[in-house]
mmCIF file of all heavy atoms in Angstrom:
data_model
loop_
_atom_site.group_PDB
_atom_site.id
_atom_site.type_symbol
_atom_site.label_atom_id
_atom_site.label_comp_id
_atom_site.label_asym_id
_atom_site.label_seq_id
_atom_site.Cartn_x
_atom_site.Cartn_y
_atom_site.Cartn_z
ATOM 1 N N ASP M 187 -5.424 -14.450 14.803
ATOM 2 C CA ASP M 187 -6.724 -14.995 15.101
ATOM 3 C C ASP M 187 -6.586 -16.458 15.538
ATOM 4 O O ASP M 187 -7.321 -17.360 15.061
ATOM 5 C CB ASP M 187 -7.649 -14.891 13.925
ATOM 6 C CG ASP M 187 -9.117 -15.052 14.333
ATOM 7 O OD1 ASP M 187 -9.377 -15.085 15.559
ATOM 8 O OD2 ASP M 187 -9.995 -15.148 13.432
ATOM 9 N N GLY M 188 -5.635 -16.763 16.396
ATOM 10 C CA GLY M 188 -5.461 -18.111 16.957
ATOM 11 C C GLY M 188 -4.650 -19.025 16.092
ATOM 12 O O GLY M 188 -4.438 -20.185 16.465
ATOM 13 N N ARG M 189 -4.216 -18.574 14.909
ATOM 14 C CA ARG M 189 -3.480 -19.452 14.002
ATOM 15 C C ARG M 189 -1.991 -19.086 14.007
ATOM 16 O O ARG M 189 -1.653 -17.931 13.770
ATOM 17 C CB ARG M 189 -4.058 -19.336 12.589
ATOM 18 C CG ARG M 189 -3.437 -20.317 11.579
ATOM 19 C CD ARG M 189 -4.274 -20.335 10.302
ATOM 20 N NE ARG M 189 -4.280 -19.012 9.686
ATOM 21 C CZ ARG M 189 -3.452 -18.596 8.767
ATOM 22 N NH1 ARG M 189 -2.496 -19.425 8.345
ATOM 23 N NH2 ARG M 189 -3.545 -17.385 8.230
ATOM 24 N N PRO M 217 -1.718 -21.028 21.265
ATOM 25 C CA PRO M 217 -1.922 -19.939 20.281
ATOM 26 C C PRO M 217 -3.385 -19.642 20.012
ATOM 27 O O PRO M 217 -3.716 -18.509 19.599
ATOM 28 C CB PRO M 217 -1.217 -20.444 19.044
ATOM 29 C CG PRO M 217 -0.136 -21.363 19.554
ATOM 30 C CD PRO M 217 -0.765 -22.021 20.749
ATOM 31 N N SER M 218 -4.271 -20.599 20.226
ATOM 32 C CA SER M 218 -5.662 -20.402 19.950
ATOM 33 C C SER M 218 -6.309 -19.363 20.852
ATOM 34 O O SER M 218 -7.379 -18.847 20.569
ATOM 35 C CB SER M 218 -6.433 -21.715 20.076
ATOM 36 O OG SER M 218 -6.323 -22.226 21.402
ATOM 37 N N GLU M 219 -5.623 -19.033 21.958
ATOM 38 C CA GLU M 219 -6.109 -18.005 22.899
ATOM 39 C C GLU M 219 -5.716 -16.602 22.506
ATOM 40 O O GLU M 219 -6.154 -15.643 23.105
ATOM 41 C CB GLU M 219 -5.591 -18.320 24.293
ATOM 42 C CG GLU M 219 -5.961 -19.685 24.845
ATOM 43 C CD GLU M 219 -5.334 -19.944 26.192
ATOM 44 O OE1 GLU M 219 -4.764 -19.011 26.766
ATOM 45 O OE2 GLU M 219 -5.379 -21.093 26.659
ATOM 46 N N VAL M 220 -4.873 -16.481 21.458
ATOM 47 C CA VAL M 220 -4.296 -15.180 21.078
ATOM 48 C C VAL M 220 -5.003 -14.700 19.799
ATOM 49 O O VAL M 220 -5.139 -15.440 18.832
ATOM 50 C CB VAL M 220 -2.785 -15.293 20.824
ATOM 51 C CG1 VAL M 220 -2.193 -13.973 20.391
ATOM 52 C CG2 VAL M 220 -2.093 -15.836 22.089
ATOM 53 N N PHE M 221 -5.411 -13.451 19.833
ATOM 54 C CA PHE M 221 -6.017 -12.834 18.643
ATOM 55 C C PHE M 221 -4.944 -12.321 17.709
ATOM 56 O O PHE M 221 -5.022 -12.524 16.497
ATOM 57 C CB PHE M 221 -6.960 -11.681 19.051
ATOM 58 C CG PHE M 221 -7.647 -11.060 17.915
ATOM 59 C CD1 PHE M 221 -8.651 -11.732 17.226
ATOM 60 C CD2 PHE M 221 -7.300 -9.762 17.477
ATOM 61 C CE1 PHE M 221 -9.291 -11.138 16.117
ATOM 62 C CE2 PHE M 221 -7.926 -9.184 16.426
ATOM 63 C CZ PHE M 221 -8.952 -9.869 15.747
ATOM 64 N N LEU M 222 -3.934 -11.691 18.270
ATOM 65 C CA LEU M 222 -2.815 -11.161 17.447
ATOM 66 C C LEU M 222 -1.556 -11.149 18.253
ATOM 67 O O LEU M 222 -1.528 -10.697 19.413
ATOM 68 C CB LEU M 222 -3.116 -9.756 16.922
ATOM 69 C CG LEU M 222 -2.008 -9.080 16.143
ATOM 70 C CD1 LEU M 222 -1.685 -9.800 14.854
ATOM 71 C CD2 LEU M 222 -2.334 -7.620 15.894
ATOM 72 N N SER M 234 -2.182 -9.573 21.817
ATOM 73 C CA SER M 234 -3.542 -9.203 22.153
ATOM 74 C C SER M 234 -4.340 -10.508 22.263
ATOM 75 O O SER M 234 -4.458 -11.276 21.302
ATOM 76 C CB SER M 234 -4.147 -8.330 21.082
ATOM 77 O OG SER M 234 -5.506 -8.060 21.323
ATOM 78 N N LYS M 235 -4.847 -10.761 23.482
ATOM 79 C CA LYS M 235 -5.643 -11.966 23.680
ATOM 80 C C LYS M 235 -7.021 -11.817 23.092
ATOM 81 O O LYS M 235 -7.523 -10.724 22.841
ATOM 82 C CB LYS M 235 -5.801 -12.242 25.176
ATOM 83 C CG LYS M 235 -4.481 -12.500 25.931
ATOM 84 C CD LYS M 235 -4.767 -12.720 27.402
ATOM 85 C CE LYS M 235 -3.455 -12.902 28.167
ATOM 86 N NZ LYS M 235 -3.709 -13.096 29.621
ATOM 87 N N LYS M 236 -7.652 -12.942 22.806
ATOM 88 C CA LYS M 236 -8.996 -12.912 22.295
ATOM 89 C C LYS M 236 -9.978 -12.373 23.337
ATOM 90 O O LYS M 236 -9.963 -12.783 24.510
ATOM 91 C CB LYS M 236 -9.469 -14.301 21.855
ATOM 92 C CG LYS M 236 -8.820 -14.791 20.596
ATOM 93 C CD LYS M 236 -9.433 -16.113 20.109
ATOM 94 C CE LYS M 236 -8.811 -16.507 18.794
ATOM 95 N NZ LYS M 236 -9.398 -17.783 18.278
ATOM 96 N N SER M 237 -10.781 -11.409 22.949
ATOM 97 C CA SER M 237 -11.844 -10.819 23.794
ATOM 98 C C SER M 237 -11.257 -10.099 25.020
ATOM 99 O O SER M 237 -11.974 -9.882 25.982
ATOM 100 C CB SER M 237 -12.831 -11.882 24.279
ATOM 101 O OG SER M 237 -13.416 -12.517 23.186
ATOM 102 N N LEU M 238 -9.972 -9.711 24.950
ATOM 103 C CA LEU M 238 -9.364 -8.959 26.045
ATOM 104 C C LEU M 238 -8.691 -7.723 25.509
ATOM 105 O O LEU M 238 -8.402 -7.624 24.279
ATOM 106 C CB LEU M 238 -8.323 -9.821 26.763
ATOM 107 C CG LEU M 238 -8.879 -11.031 27.551
ATOM 108 C CD1 LEU M 238 -7.734 -11.827 28.120
ATOM 109 C CD2 LEU M 238 -9.800 -10.587 28.664
#
Side-chain angles (χ1 to χ4, degrees):
D187 198 9
R189 185 168 61 93
S218 61
E219 301 175 10
V220 179
F221 182 70
L222 175 65
S234 175
K235 299 180 183 178
K236 287 187 176 181
S237 301
L238 293 176

